[in-house]
Amino acid sequence: MGSRFLQLVWPFLAASLFFFNAFTYSQKAPHLKFIKEARFAPRVSQYDYIVIGGGTSGCPLAATLSQRASVLVLERGGSPYKNPGSINLNKFVNSLVDITPSSFTQQFISTDGVLNARARALGGGSVINAGFYSRAGAKYVREAGWDERLAEESYEWVEKVVAFKPMVRQWQSAVRDGLKEVGVLPYNGFSYDHISGTKVGGSIFDHMGHRHTAADLLTYANPSSISVYIHATVQKILFRYCPERRRQQAYGVIYKDELGIMHKANLRVKGEIILSAGAIGSPQMLMLSGIGPAQHLWAHRIKVVLDQPMVGQGMADNPTNVLVVPSPVPVEESLIQTVGITNFGSYIEASSGLNLGLSWPQRLQRIYDIVSNQTTGPSMSNWANIIRSFANKSLKGGVILEKVAGPLSTGHLQLLTSNPNDNPLVTFNYFKEPEDLRTCVAGMRTIIDVINSRAFSRFRYKNLSIQALIDLVLSLPVNLRPKHASAHFSLEQFCIDTVMTIWHYHGGCHVGKVVDRNYKVMGVDSLRVIDGSTFSASPGTNPQATVMMLGRYMGQRILLERFHRIDP
């Protein structure tokens, strides 16, 4: 009887414990006393590990290392806990386009003419992204050389705090059923796993629309052995020559607080500096510290520590293209929940209910602000007319998008200046490889089929043709690339002309080229890179779950190596 009773109540009990734990962690997070402004940091300090970047990977990494070592986290941005309502679901667009000095978003435009953004906040990209949570596929895990059991445990460790099953309502259900109707099968229900077919994935937004970021994972940390400083901008990593090893060794960092005062942090014996500054920040910081292509560093008057021409190479951003679908009926406010994982390398996703009339004027103004002093673009009056033409608050509906897996096309990153606050120059070379373009076209055709499906019919104006939806996107300044007349009838040209980012850029510090399989920077000692800059392809439909997992995973491996002398 007791066993039978346990079988009946266990699912309810387990669910209750899960939500209680997540609630408990999220409630603790704003009160973590070890998160402080950098101006309160000592001028000189010493730690076992110095983590540069308190982002999606840096937070779980630091929390894990703190269990058995002293850890310093240096984050250039602010804390999401100062105003948590500003990052909730209904503030997604506002947060992403916020250009104030204290914002969590730093805009940049790639040389390809695509508007992009990088995070500057404790919690990294999980503070400003669309919240979709989905693991990497089993094949990705194996090819990365990760221990599958430890990776599974690391994912679960993350999910106890930040991942939730979303409430799927009408728009997302229509996209889900449309994907099934057009053959993106099988239907796999709700799953964190990356498996072919249609599924509902996880979200870092809870049922109240509150965002749970990687910063929440710091609740796992040992508060007596971790220091987290925000508004701490690392200027460079310090190196000294080690005669025994006949190579340079990292031994400390110089960082600046928000008042402009410099601080120095040194490593203790057996310590390491770990770069977790993201796909833009990590290769940039290596170069600023003297590791990169020698001629490029000399041009910026940077002393060369190690001539490493592969730093900044292999940059990639998954190309994304969308169709905007105005709806004749009200739609819920939703970000990514449903995904169609096709067998040809395209992922189909959707969002709804965001006020397109408000977001586009803000986006347009941001484009103008960035390019007005750099190019001979349109006049201020022309931009104002464009902005006013899209300031229609009544435009409601959603978007259905496709993301090209991989991708195969890659580019590079270079320094623009030697100021760590400035964005570097980034080139992604969208659709340089023909296979990426073929995948985009197939993905757009699938989107068109979904829009034409019976399941989606109530969210479609009957007199609004697919051609009208294509023309609508072509009329929007989604990027700074030239538009061609053929894009109206050629999906190939449409993909090229209207390509956007989905903020899944990666590369610049590839495994086997810049770091080894243990994420140690090759050619120097006491320095690793652990973040998405090491990825040669974006994991699954969204990388954030895997980036967080990697922080936890490598934290455990590093501690094993340190205390048990086991090669990770």
Side-chain angles (χ1 to χ4, degrees):
M1 180 67 179
S3 176
R4 175 61 178 162
F5 176 75
L6 185 60
Q7 290 176 356
L8 291 172
V9 303
W10 173 246
F12 172 78
L13 181 61
S16 299
L17 288 172
F18 173 83
F19 286 111
F20 174 76
N21 285 340
F23 177 80
T24 302
Y25 281 124
S26 64
Q27 291 300 305
K28 286 180 184 176
H31 307 292
L32 295 176
K33 294 182 179 180
F34 52 76
I35 300 175
K36 300 177 182 179
E37 293 286 345
R39 65 179 179 273
F40 298 119
R43 296 293 292 273
V44 180
S45 55
Q46 195 173 49
Y47 294 85
D48 294 319
Y49 295 98
I50 300 171
V51 179
I52 301 174
T56 315
S57 179
C59 286
L61 172 66
T64 302
L65 292 173
S66 73
Q67 296 302 318
R68 300 193 66 184
S70 62
V71 183
L72 171 66
V73 179
L74 299 172
E75 169 53 47
R76 72 190 183 114
S79 168
Y81 304 123
K82 293 293 179 68
N83 185 11
S86 68
I87 62 171
N88 286 342
L89 188 148
N90 61 352
K91 301 291 186 179
F92 168 68
V93 172
N94 292 339
S95 179
L96 193 61
V97 301
D98 184 1
I99 59 171
T100 61
S102 61
S103 75
F104 297 142
T105 306
Q106 183 175 1
Q107 308 282 346
F108 73 95
I109 298 177
S110 70
T111 62
D112 315 273
V114 173
L115 183 65
N116 215 316
R118 54 189 292 213
R120 51 181 176 195
L122 188 66
S126 66
V127 176
I128 62 172
N129 66 16
F132 193 64
Y133 183 97
S134 186
R135 300 179 179 185
K139 181 181 178 183
Y140 191 102
V141 172
R142 289 193 299 270
E143 290 181 347
W146 298 328
D147 179 276
E148 294 180 49
R149 179 190 59 79
L150 185 57
E152 173 76 19
E153 292 175 356
S154 298
Y155 276 123
E156 292 174 353
W157 181 89
V158 169
E159 288 153 11
K160 287 179 182 178
V161 177
V162 304
F164 302 87
K165 180 179 180 179
M167 296 177 65
V168 180
R169 296 168 63 189
Q170 293 180 343
W171 172 277
Q172 293 286 337
S173 295
V175 174
R176 175 198 65 198
D177 295 341
L179 285 165
K180 292 190 290 182
E181 184 180 324
V182 303
V184 184
L185 297 169
Y187 176 57
N188 297 302
F190 168 74
S191 178
Y192 291 142
D193 294 332
H194 182 76
I195 38 182
S196 294
T198 297
K199 74 164 190 173
V200 173
S203 176
I204 63 173
F205 293 103
D206 63 24
H207 291 175
M208 300 297 292
H210 300 315
R211 183 189 289 269
H212 296 257
T213 76
D216 290 6
L217 297 171
L218 290 171
T219 55
Y220 280 122
N222 179 352
S224 65
S225 59
I226 187 171
S227 297
V228 178
Y229 290 112
I230 56 176
H231 297 121
T233 304
V234 175
Q235 306 298 297
K236 65 178 179 178
I237 301 167
L238 302 174
F239 293 90
R240 62 187 171 205
Y241 184 72
C242 179
E244 296 84 3
R245 295 273 294 169
R246 296 183 180 180
R247 60 199 301 179
Q248 296 287 335
Q249 178 184 40
Y251 73 90
V253 301
I254 298 292
Y255 64 99
K256 182 187 294 186
D257 64 28
E258 67 271 34
L259 300 178
I261 298 172
M262 294 294 184
H263 302 252
K264 182 180 181 183
N266 296 318
L267 289 178
R268 291 175 177 155
V269 177
K270 295 172 58 177
E272 289 184 310
I273 294 169
I274 305 174
L275 258 175
S276 293
I280 305 298
S282 287
Q284 179 186 26
M285 182 50 60
L286 284 180
M287 290 184 188
L288 291 175
S289 304
I291 299 178
Q295 289 188 337
H296 182 57
L297 301 185
W298 289 330
H300 288 275
R301 298 181 180 179
I302 295 172
K303 180 182 177 181
V304 177
V305 172
L306 177 68
D307 181 11
Q308 174 40 291
M310 298 309 298
V311 172
Q313 297 299 308
M315 297 294 299
D317 186 25
N318 298 85
T320 299
N321 292 81
V322 309
L323 283 183
V324 179
V325 188
S327 172
V329 298
V331 297
E332 74 268 19
E333 193 171 53
S334 71
L335 291 173
I336 310 301
Q337 295 177 348
T338 296
V339 60
I341 301 172
T342 71
N343 58 12
F344 53 80
S346 178
Y347 307 140
I348 312 299
E349 304 173 1
S351 65
S352 65
L354 302 177
N355 195 315
L356 303 176
L358 288 176
S359 64
W360 279 110
Q362 291 170 330
R363 186 179 180 87
L364 289 166
Q365 186 60 56
R366 174 81 285 249
I367 294 175
Y368 178 79
D369 290 340
I370 293 177
V371 304
S372 60
N373 295 324
Q374 301 176 16
T375 68
T376 56
S379 67
M380 176 67 83
S381 59
N382 286 341
W383 275 100
N385 290 334
I386 295 172
I387 291 171
R388 281 193 292 269
S389 71
F390 284 101
N392 178 7
K393 297 180 182 180
S394 65
L395 180 58
K396 295 288 186 178
V399 299
I400 305 180
L401 62 90
E402 72 86 32
K403 164 188 169 179
V404 174
L408 299 177
S409 304
T410 62
H412 58 275
L413 176 151
Q414 293 178 306
L415 295 177
L416 179 61
T417 74
S418 57
N419 185 341
N421 294 310
D422 293 341
N423 287 314
L425 288 173
V426 188
T427 301
F428 293 118
N429 287 326
Y430 298 102
F431 302 123
K432 179 181 179 181
E433 297 295 332
E435 184 61 30
D436 290 338
L437 186 57
R438 286 192 288 269
T439 300
C440 178
V441 170
M444 292 306 302
R445 286 175 177 154
T446 302
I447 290 175
I448 291 169
D449 290 343
V450 170
I451 294 172
N452 284 331
S453 69
R454 182 168 48 85
F456 194 76
S457 59
R458 75 180 292 245
F459 294 105
R460 166 93 181 276
Y461 281 100
K462 300 297 186 292
N463 60 347
L464 200 59
S465 67
I466 293 296
Q467 187 61 55
L469 300 182
I470 290 173
D471 292 345
L472 172 60
V473 175
L474 286 168
S475 71
L476 297 172
V478 296
N479 58 39
L480 302 181
R481 294 160 75 89
K483 302 297 185 292
H484 300 82
S486 59
H488 291 272
F489 54 84
S490 165
L491 285 179
E492 287 84 355
Q493 195 64 55
F494 177 86
C495 285
I496 294 169
D497 287 2
T498 66
V499 64
M500 300 170 65
T501 183
I502 199 168
W503 309 288
H504 295 173
Y505 46 82
H506 52 277
C509 298
H510 282 169
V511 173
K513 295 181 179 179
V514 176
V515 300
D516 63 20
R517 299 284 278 194
N518 299 325
Y519 301 93
K520 295 180 179 180
V521 176
M522 297 184 294
V524 298
D525 287 338
S526 304
L527 179 62
R528 301 194 203 219
V529 180
I530 300 176
D531 58 26
S533 70
T534 65
F535 295 165
S536 56
S538 185
T541 53
N542 187 299
Q544 75 165 334
T546 303
V547 176
M548 285 189 270
M549 180 281 291
L550 181 62
R552 168 62 175 176
Y553 178 98
M554 284 306 301
Q556 292 177 288
R557 299 303 296 259
I558 290 170
L559 290 178
L560 279 174
E561 180 185 20
R562 180 182 182 94
F563 293 102
H564 301 286
R565 297 184 180 179
I566 296 175
D567 183 25

